[in-house]
């Protein structure tokens, strides 16, 4: 059975999708409004905000600046072996830090000719925010793609202190 809920955040309403677990839910997807390839609620999915109460609490604490690492149960869903390897490596990038696509490729032993595939795998991450794909940037410091939108990537990195706020 698939359960879902939405939570309000500074980035817009987040859609949380998961499978019931003993202590609440095992998260399978976290998506944002306007996100590329975001799941949509399907017939047969049950709305169950209570199961997501711990996830919602952790997200609120993150946005309040009180939490720097999530402790959320995930259920791997979909993805190739390569994508899952890339997704797992994202969890090693600490709060307040960034890495480059090239550095991530080197850490994973991915040939530089496959950097585009690495970027595609990062872009297919079904757990935005909690699996921090927003912490991967271009070698020149530029904000490359983000499934939730580059402006949200900048907001997240600024929130985490990895980028300085822009004064206008």
């Amino acid at each position: 059975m698939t359960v879902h809920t939405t939570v309000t955040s500074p980035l817009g309403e987040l859609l949380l999708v998961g499978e019931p677990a003993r202590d609440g839910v095992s998260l399978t997807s976290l998506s944002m409004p306007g996100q590329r390839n975001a799941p949509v609620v399907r017939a047969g999915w049950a709305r169950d905000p209570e199961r997501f109460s711990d996830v919602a609490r952790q997200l609120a604490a993150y946005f309040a600046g009180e939490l720097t690492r999530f402790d959320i149960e995930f259920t791997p869903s979909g993805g190739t072996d390569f994508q899952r390897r890339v997704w797992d490596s994202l969890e090693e990038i600490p709060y307040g830090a960034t890495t480059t696509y090239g550095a991530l490729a080197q850490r994973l032993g991915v040939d530089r000719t496959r950097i585009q595939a690495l970027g595609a795998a990062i872009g297919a991450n079904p757990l935005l925010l909690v699996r921090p794909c927003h912490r991967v940037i271009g070698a020149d410091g530029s904000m490359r793609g983000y499934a939730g939108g580059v402006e949200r990537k900048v907001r997240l990195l600024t929130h985490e202190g990895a980028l300085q706020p822009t004064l206008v």
Side-chain angles (χ1 to χ4, degrees):
M1 171 163 79
T2 300
V3 293
H4 71 92
T5 195
T6 56
V7 296
T8 303
S9 83
L11 303 175
E13 192 169 63
L14 305 177
L15 173 63
L16 309 178
V17 180
E19 298 173 357
R22 186 169 17 112
D23 295 327
V25 69
S26 182
L27 198 64
T28 58
S29 174
L30 186 155
S31 58
M32 302 174 186
Q35 175 185 325
R36 285 184 320 229
N37 303 316
V40 293
V41 176
R42 298 182 186 162
W45 287 11
R47 182 169 171 75
D48 192 349
E50 184 57 36
R51 284 208 181 266
F52 292 91
S53 61
D54 184 56
V55 176
R57 179 192 59 74
Q58 289 187 52
L59 288 167
Y62 168 82
F63 285 115
E66 301 164 355
L67 183 75
T68 60
R69 186 161 181 86
F70 293 101
D71 182 19
I72 295 172
E73 181 181 343
F74 304 145
T75 295
S77 64
T80 64
D81 289 341
F82 176 72
Q83 286 174 321
R84 285 191 300 275
R85 204 169 116 229
V86 170
W87 297 341
D88 288 345
S89 72
L90 296 173
E91 294 176 42
E92 298 170 17
I93 307 167
Y95 181 95
T98 59
T99 192
T100 65
Y101 293 91
L104 189 60
Q106 185 176 24
R107 189 171 345 141
L108 291 170
V110 172
D111 189 85
R112 293 195 65 73
T113 61
R114 298 206 56 220
I115 295 238
Q116 201 167 16
L118 179 110
I122 291 168
N125 172 19
L127 294 165
L128 291 191
L129 185 61
V130 297
R131 188 184 282 146
C133 53
H134 60 278
R135 296 179 187 154
V136 183
I137 62 173
D140 60 359
S142 62
M143 299 297 113
R144 302 287 183 207
Y146 181 60
V150 172
E151 64 286 337
R152 287 189 179 121
K153 181 175 191 164
V154 169
R155 287 181 68 186
L156 289 168
L157 292 174
T158 302
H159 169 73
E160 294 182 358
L163 287 179
Q164 294 301 311
T166 305
L167 299 175
V168 233

